[in-house]
Amino acid sequence: MTDSSAPETIESPHHLEQQRRENREAIAALGVHPYGRRTDGLVSIQEARGRYDEQADQAWNDTPKEERGEDPRPRVRVAGRVVLKRDGGRLIWMQIRDHTSSPAPKEGEPEPAGFIKDLQLAISKRDCAAPGFDIAKHLDLGDLVIASGPLMRTKAGEVTIWADTLEMAAKSLAPPPEKWSGLQDVEQRYRRRYVDLYANPETMRTFATRARMLSRIREFLRDRGYLEVDTPVLQAMAGGAAARPFVTHMNALDVDLFMRIAPELYLKRLIVGGMPKVFEISRNFRNEGLDKSHNPEFTSLELYQAYGNYETMRELTEALVRDAAVHVGESRGLLPDGWTEGQPLRLPFNDLEIDYGTPFRLVTFAELFESACGFPMSDVNRAREEAKRRGLKHEGMDDILVVNELFEEVAEATIDPEKPTFVFDYPAALSPLTRPKIDDDGNAVCAGDIALAERWDIFIGGMEIGPAYTELNDPDVQESKFREQLAGIDDEESTFRSFDDDFISALKVGMPPTGGMGLGIDRLCMLLMNQRTIRDVILFPMMRPEA
RNA sequence: GGGAGUGUAGCUCAGUCGGUAGAGCAGUGGCCUUUUAAGCCAUUGGUCCAGGGUUCGAGUCCCUGCGCUCCCA
């Protein structure tokens, strides 16, 4: 920075950054590199606290200074971000934070499960080796430091590293959020997640839990013999779901491609090829709106099992969701002591207490429709009247779409949100990739005139978490389903019907009877981690680009 | 798309009836070797989202636009 530009810099809104640059220079002038170096032997704050030895500390304190020999107190080396600093002249106190630690709860508030408090450092002019004390003098809140020394407890009872070395790990040039209230601005929390993560440790906990949940799901599936695979994100045809795709262009081949809206049609090709049990935890992309349960890119689990059906998938899904709930509940300290299979396991979600422990509820589409609407879904004329009365879309729409509209508006709302619920046997016309339901004699099963399909959807906490099918494996029926066009279908639904010639070819090779399911991972995270919006379980949610 | 709310210092927020822009934290300069959101003294820091209007005078009232949040579709 030249002298001529200095006045301008001081006038600029970044004068706080300028002051930090000056502190960086002061540290560099001590011969210390302000951005640190490789450091081995670090322990987390959680580990450091665990190593504190009360007896050794007592023994040391009880020994007169002149009789002291080897210091028996455990030594640790810890890295962290300076979140509080109290400069006491020749003794400087700091609190440092890492991914395991949090600020002390406000007065009167309880400590959350697994709470680990930020760690205190004492940097004494007398006891800390040069240039540690001089570094400490020039530290700003937000700087990253490495301290080592014995673990002791102060008069006030605070476990502390009485540092004998203090090293610089990185200078922070950005002014940190307010030390007590953290980063509150919702938009800034998403845009600057790197600040949110350290300033609001609850955010760190949420994403650590999400990662553990995903590991657990993979372990659960691996243990049951499912193979994790990767299928194309860039697809010439976006199939397998009803959604508007993102379009992109591939220069080398000069073709337009779509970002996948679902991996379904590729995973089924793998079943054709002879992989018996596959799953993919995939990022899908849907060019639609943003709201508290929709992000344009989102994570889902899709899974297929040869020689299974939608019942197989129900059993698996219930076990998987319960297993995830147990593990998340455990890590949040919400699992009742001595919990065993079959007992209620209630996890909070907003105002709800959702029970993942006892068997999930099973209900058919037709039953739910009739109990909510007061007449059977096969009475399509009443359905039309009812839709009209309620001001729902109905004109120019196929009967079955009117029934579906009514189901989504009226019947779904009657599902107990505190009780995970499988809704079975959707109308076949709504499920073009699903095998029609047949009885033991091979006859189509209908509700009145409406043919049913072997599909369920699972609802938890008022959200649809995922569907499952007995997969349609008859290439001729699949081909006619692709060609079938319903009147009044919207653009998104019509992508379901886009004709994938190669997929038909695959089915012609022969796909075994197969059960398949999909599960919205982000929504499952919202539920199990009690987060109100999908943006609180996605590290970098979609935001309008800044101007 | 509709409705409600909101936008003020780096951060968290006040700002009354329209009358010279405020606090806490952070920062800067001091004092302090057991502090706990340390404390004490002094102090820097503002395009009040943008544009227009009303008015002697607008952070405040009106209009338009933009951003963000929540609710509804």
Side-chain angles (χ1 to χ4, degrees):
Chain A
M1 204 55 69
T2 62
D3 285 343
S4 61
S5 68
E8 207 180 304
T9 308
I10 286 161
E11 302 256 323
S12 83
H14 301 295
H15 71 280
L16 293 172
E17 176 175 326
Q18 183 53 30
Q19 283 162 345
R20 284 164 177 266
R21 287 180 182 279
E22 285 162 14
N23 278 331
R24 184 176 68 178
E25 293 312 308
I27 284 169
L30 298 169
V32 172
H33 195 287
Y35 291 99
R37 59 183 174 187
R38 167 174 168 169
T39 305
D40 296 325
L42 290 170
V43 299
S44 70
I45 288 175
Q46 180 170 25
E47 281 178 74
R49 286 192 174 280
R51 291 192 192 183
Y52 169 71
D53 182 339
E54 191 89 57
Q55 288 180 343
D57 195 19
Q58 279 295 332
W60 181 255
N61 287 331
D62 293 346
T63 310
K65 276 204 173 81
E66 55 279 6
E67 295 172 23
R68 281 177 182 171
E70 187 91 342
D71 188 342
R73 300 172 301 182
R75 291 182 52 84
V76 289
R77 172 168 289 198
V78 172
R81 198 177 286 275
V82 178
V83 290
L84 293 174
K85 183 183 166 190
R86 298 181 283 277
D87 187 337
R90 277 169 287 179
L91 180 60
I92 299 170
W93 301 94
M94 292 186 289
Q95 301 285 136
I96 62 168
R97 179 174 303 164
D98 72 6
H99 64 287
T100 65
S101 75
S102 309
K106 290 169 193 176
E107 212 167 285
E109 285 184 16
E111 292 183 359
F115 168 78
I116 302 290
K117 197 183 163 198
D118 296 336
L119 184 62
Q120 178 163 276
L121 307 181
I123 315 297
S124 153
K125 188 174 173 65
R126 185 186 61 220
D127 298 331
C128 189
F133 182 79
D134 293 320
I135 292 172
K137 277 285 176 191
H138 294 286
L139 285 175
D140 290 304
L141 295 184
D143 288 353
L144 295 170
V145 296
I146 299 161
S148 48
L151 281 162
M152 47 85 71
R153 198 189 278 280
T154 64
K155 282 183 202 164
E158 182 89 15
V159 171
T160 300
I161 297 181
W162 196 271
D164 41 36
T165 68
L166 180 73
E167 297 163 274
M168 199 64 194
K171 185 71 204 168
S172 174
L173 296 175
E178 210 274 336
K179 66 186 183 185
W180 193 241
S181 41
L183 184 60
Q184 294 298 315
D185 185 290
V186 178
E187 186 183 356
Q188 291 305 314
R189 287 188 45 228
Y190 300 137
R191 288 195 191 278
R192 308 185 70 214
R193 188 68 94 181
Y194 41 89
V195 176
D196 183 37
L197 281 165
Y198 92 78
N200 301 320
E202 179 56 32
T203 303
M204 182 73 80
R205 283 167 61 86
T206 298
F207 288 105
T209 306
R210 179 183 168 125
R212 280 197 296 271
M213 187 190 93
L214 274 165
S215 300
R216 179 59 210 162
I217 287 173
R218 287 193 161 94
E219 192 183 328
F220 177 96
L221 293 173
R222 242 195 340 267
D223 287 351
R224 285 162 181 73
Y226 293 87
L227 197 65
E228 182 168 12
V229 297
D230 294 285
T231 65
V233 172
L234 294 175
Q235 305 181 349
M237 175 169 285
R244 186 175 300 119
F246 285 93
V247 188
T248 186
H249 185 81
M250 183 179 182
N251 293 331
L253 301 181
D254 191 25
V255 289
D256 286 334
L257 293 173
F258 299 98
M259 312 279 281
R260 72 172 157 209
I261 55 176
E264 170 150 356
L265 300 183
Y266 282 93
L267 291 172
K268 285 186 191 172
R269 284 166 165 95
L270 299 179
I271 297 289
V272 170
M275 291 182 171
K277 287 175 156 186
V278 294
F279 74 97
E280 181 166 11
I281 291 177
S282 73
R283 194 76 59 88
N284 300 330
F285 306 85
R286 298 187 181 176
N287 201 346
E288 292 164 7
L290 295 160
D291 66 29
K292 68 175 192 248
S293 61
H294 293 86
N295 194 64
E297 55 180 298
F298 63 98
T299 303
S300 73
L301 165 66
E302 274 205 27
L303 175 149
Y304 293 85
Q305 177 172 346
Y307 302 101
N309 70 358
Y310 74 150
E311 286 284 354
T312 324
M313 292 299 104
R314 184 195 63 73
E315 292 154 16
L316 182 80
T317 303
E318 180 163 345
L320 183 148
V321 169
R322 182 168 297 125
D323 183 72
V326 167
H327 280 77
V328 173
E330 212 164 21
S331 77
R332 293 176 60 201
L334 297 171
L335 188 66
D337 283 342
W339 182 86
T340 56
E341 198 81 23
Q343 293 179 333
L345 167 54
R346 296 194 179 85
L347 299 183
F349 178 62
N350 296 336
D351 302 332
L352 306 171
E353 290 277 329
I354 299 174
D355 173 20
Y356 298 92
T358 58
F360 294 0
R361 185 181 167 214
L362 311 178
V363 63
T364 67
F365 187 99
E367 285 163 4
L368 194 65
F369 184 97
E370 187 162 352
S371 73
C373 296
F375 57 91
M377 69 173 179
S378 53
D379 190 344
V380 293
N381 292 328
R382 280 222 31 211
R384 222 166 253 289
E385 279 169 35
E386 187 65 15
K388 190 173 184 178
R389 195 178 70 75
R390 290 177 179 271
L392 303 176
K393 288 185 291 179
H394 64 284
E395 279 175 43
M397 281 168 64
D398 248 295
D399 289 344
I400 198 61
L401 292 177
V402 175
V403 166
N404 188 48
E405 194 74 14
L406 215 45
F407 180 85
E408 288 182 353
E409 287 302 314
V410 182
E412 283 185 9
T414 66
I415 298 171
D416 180 356
E418 297 191 311
K419 191 74 205 161
T421 300
F422 292 100
V423 178
F424 270 74
D425 297 343
Y426 275 62
L430 298 172
S431 306
L433 302 170
T434 309
R435 178 190 276 211
K437 189 175 173 74
I438 49 172
D439 62 21
D440 292 340
D441 301 323
N443 301 314
V445 177
C446 297
D449 297 334
I450 298 176
L452 302 178
E454 295 197 351
R455 162 181 166 186
W456 54 251
D457 274 31
I458 180 170
F459 293 84
I460 310 179
M463 287 190 289
E464 198 230 319
I465 304 305
Y469 313 146
T470 302
E471 303 299 336
L472 179 54
N473 61 343
D474 179 330
D476 293 342
V477 176
Q478 182 67 80
E479 184 166 343
S480 65
K481 287 271 182 190
F482 275 152
R483 294 194 190 284
E484 183 180 52
Q485 288 300 321
L486 300 185
I489 211 162
D490 57 27
D491 290 351
E492 291 151 30
E493 181 73 13
S494 69
T495 61
F496 233 146
R497 318 277 167 168
S498 47
F499 194 93
D500 187 334
D501 206 41
D502 180 70
F503 179 64
I504 297 294
S505 298
L507 292 186
K508 285 180 181 171
V509 170
M511 183 171 86
T514 297
M517 70 95 155
L519 205 58
I521 293 294
D522 306 295
R523 290 180 183 181
L524 187 60
C525 286
M526 287 171 65
L527 288 163
L528 299 183
M529 294 160 207
N530 194 15
Q531 297 297 317
R532 187 172 293 276
T533 85
I534 198 167
R535 294 198 293 179
D536 289 327
V537 298
I538 292 176
L539 278 165
F540 297 99
M542 181 57 63
M543 304 290 287
R544 178 187 301 278
E546 286 182 286

